[in-house]
Amino acid sequence: MQTASLENGLIGNSAISALVDGNGSIVWACLPRFDGDPVFCSLLSPVGGSGEDGDGRGACSVLLADFTRAEQEYISHTAVLVTRLYDAHDACIEITDFAPRFKMNGRMFHPMMLVRRVRRVSGNPRVAFRVRPLFSYGELDPEVTVGSHHVRYVGPQMVVRLTTNTSINALVEERYTYLHDTATLIFGPDETVQGSVEDIGRRFMDETVAYWKDWVRTIFVPVDWQDEVMRAAITLKLNAFDDTGAVVAAMTTSVPEHPGSGRNWDYRYCWLRDAYFVVNALNRLGATTTMENYINFILNVVAAAEGGVLQPVYGISGHSALYEGQATALAGYRGMGPVRVGNQAYEQIQHDVYGSAVLAATHMFFDARLRHRGDESLFRQLEPLGHHALATYNQPDAGIWELRGSKRVHTYSSIMCWAAADRLARIAVKLELQEPATFWRTHADRIHAEICGKAWDEGRGAFVAFWGGDVLDASLLLMHEFGFLKADDPRFAGTVEAIEAELKHGDFIYRYVERDDFGHPENAFLVCTFWYVYALDALGRKEEAHASFDKLLKCCSKLGLLAEDIDPVSREQWGNFVQTYSMVGLVNCALRLSRPWDEAY
């Protein structure tokens, strides 16, 4: 049995997604959307089967007789994944996995559909298909009904239909047969697939490959690390839910931050903070449509918010209640539960959300490429967020790290409230609105001065994590990024040096080192080290920035993907996967550190 791993490939189409492990098994796929029921859930060890993969329960596998090894790669610059399996007799099969995405009839075609094409490459391979979905978070085996060219997997609230051109009896019985031609498996809703399954699979693959290659050609890439940036950009786009514009933090739930920690969270939702970082990175790459869609999501959330009070996280349709419970039929990643569904963080107070929302919308006023430009009407929609920032910048909250057991006046939250006022002042100047410009600049300057007085520790020569405290927090590395301090301000250099001394363990920066609700953190939060690279670059410590970035790139999976956390000793990835925060860090570091194009050749 194969041990669960994060060496998986992500496929998707901005409507659904799936994770495919190194042997070509679909081990995670939520339907009918990112936060739906994980019909394929073997990544989190369904209870009831023997062995670490529960004897294949909750997975879709292609089994090769006398299997010896596997290779896996993406078709270059696409979200189409290819896995090759080899047997002891040098026979080889190739599994191509994708979710269709391309323009059709004048609009984007991105259905609830996963396509698997399995073809013989060499020799005389014998294969079996093992399709064992589960419903209700691993609780229920489906009722199975069979047609002439399809199998229906019937759950209590959804039916998944598998349409194929291979033998239905062999598939249902999981019997090995020789693979002579290409076998196509199309998973989708309970609807008849019109036309030849083989022709549809081939055409959808060709169209999807063409779509991604065309999309990549529209984005800006740096001279250096082009492949890494393009893979990150595709991955970030896959985490954006086209229907509403929401951006999820990750595609999974409850992969622990470190072994046995209980730090298992459901990340299949839209954090306003995380999503801002994602759309900001995509905008720097020239992928403006995702940003515009996300800003529309924010404006809809704001309009629906009672009293204009924002939550830190929302469901991908914009719904506010994310009740947290546990899926007891799933034992957890490598048996490390609990598996949580929903996220209690929606109930938390996190004042930085107002800055995150205003920062995202600020692009609308300054980026001439956008289809819908910001005007006075939009500015007036944003002002209530600024007023909430004025009311909360000096109030305790759970902070960026969502501490469940304590509330403090967190410096990062205060800085983001300042950012809301600062950007509103800049927008007002842009729109030539003199009175609002004066109002917001006066308050921004006042908040800035108060933060510098209350969050600065003269003895340490550094800003600290919360007002009146004496501990550090990696989010302070972003003070220059948000424009709160200039790079040549000695207070910025002093804070970076203090973080190096206290939070840097080996090659990685920890979020914090103090004990929290679950004990002391054991693994490093990857994005914090990317923030450290930003800071080193801003301070002119270029060689150190490059060296640190190179070490981070070596942490990527074989397919160039990153989770949330890293074991600083073994370099094994932990935490939810694929983590948008981490992929954003990769993009931003590459853009900062790359040579300019006029020095490329």
Side-chain angles (χ1 to χ4, degrees), residues 96-113:
T96 303
D97 287 304
F98 64 96
R101 181 179 174 88
F102 52 87
K103 282 285 188 70
M104 185 169 68
N105 299 325
R107 58 183 183 269
M108 188 60 65
F109 178 68
H110 53 144
M112 189 195 86
M113 180 182 291

Side-chain angles (χ1 to χ4, degrees), residues 39-40 59-60 129-135 141-146 150-163 168 171-172 174 185-188 190:
V39 174
F40 295 118
C60 175
F129 298 98
R130 190 173 66 187
V131 183
R132 299 182 181 178
L134 296 170
F135 289 96
D141 290 289
E143 177 187 350
V144 179
T145 66
V146 176
H150 70 265
V151 181
R152 297 171 70 246
Y153 301 95
V154 182
Q157 296 179 321
M158 178 171 53
V159 177
V160 176
R161 180 186 289 232
L162 166 58
T163 306
I168 290 293
L171 187 147
V172 171
E174 300 178 359
L185 286 71
I186 300 176
F187 292 91
D190 193 22

Side-chain angles (χ1 to χ4, degrees), residues 527-568:
V527 75
C528 296
T529 309
F530 285 112
W531 294 345
Y532 176 59
V533 175
Y534 303 175
L536 291 175
D537 179 61
L539 291 169
R541 296 163 59 180
K542 305 292 186 181
E543 290 186 8
E544 293 172 84
H546 276 268
S548 185
F549 185 45
D550 286 342
K551 290 172 183 175
L552 284 164
L553 290 175
K554 289 181 173 65
C555 296
C556 290
S557 71
K558 296 174 184 176
L559 294 171
L561 305 178
L562 288 167
E564 180 184 53
D565 303 276
I566 193 83
D567 183 317

Side-chain angles (χ1 to χ4, degrees), residues 196-235:
S196 162
V197 174
E198 166 59 16
D199 291 346
I200 290 170
R202 183 190 307 110
R203 180 169 66 85
F204 281 12
M205 183 184 76
D206 291 343
E207 294 273 16
T208 299
V209 167
Y211 164 80
W212 285 111
K213 287 185 177 291
D214 287 343
W215 183 79
V216 164
R217 280 194 287 270
T218 68
I219 66 174
F220 170 81
V221 293
V223 172
D224 302 309
W225 308 293
Q226 291 184 35
D227 289 337
E228 291 87 346
V229 168
M230 285 186 276
R231 176 55 48 207
I234 290 170
T235 303

Side-chain angles (χ1 to χ4, degrees), residues 62-76:
V62 181
L63 307 177
L64 176 64
D66 300 323
F67 167 77
T68 57
R69 64 185 178 91
E71 300 171 349
Q72 195 172 58
E73 63 183 355
Y74 284 105
I75 294 178
S76 179

Side-chain angles (χ1 to χ4, degrees), residues 11 27 53 106 112 114 204 271 313 336 346 389 453 498 501 511 564:
I11 61 171
V27 296
D53 69 349
M112 189 195 86
L114 297 171
F204 281 12
W271 272 259
V313 56
M336 299 175 192
Y346 85 93
R511 289 175 287 185
E564 180 184 53

